[in-house]
Amino acid sequence: ESSGETVRRRDGKGLYARVARGETANVVGVDIPWRPPVAPDLTINTDDPEPPEVMARRVAAHIPQLAPVLTKT
C-alpha cells in the first residue's frame, strides 16, 4: 500500500509528471480508479515501511500459502 504522494515521488519513468503536463492520460490513480484487493494475502505499507528483516519474515511466512498460486500452469 502507498499513498498517491509516495507513488508520484517514486515515479522513475515520469508517468505522473507527464499526466500533470497533460501529455498522457489513462493512468491508474489519476483518471482510472485504483481498486484495492478485497482480501489480499499480504499487504506491505510502503508509506511507513517496517525494517527489511521484519518485511522479509512476513513475506516468507506467506510463501507456503502462496505456493499453489505460484505453481499454477
Side-chain angles (χ1 to χ4, degrees):
E1 299 178 6
S2 323
S3 66
E5 179 183 326
T6 298
V7 170
R8 286 176 185 81
R9 188 177 66 247
R10 294 180 181 169
D11 180 19
K13 294 182 180 181
L15 181 63
Y16 290 94
R18 291 197 313 264
V19 169
R21 293 189 303 264
E23 297 172 3
T24 192
N26 300 321
V27 176
V28 174
V30 178
D31 53 354
I32 298 174
W34 179 80
R35 293 180 182 90
V38 175
D41 291 316
L42 174 67
T43 60
I44 297 175
N45 182 345
T46 60
D47 284 329
D48 186 24
E50 300 166 305
E53 56 278 356
V54 173
M55 277 196 262
R57 282 195 301 272
R58 289 183 61 220
V59 171
H62 282 78
I63 290 174
Q65 296 168 351
L66 298 176
V69 173
L70 298 174
T71 57
K72 273 187 180 175
T73 56

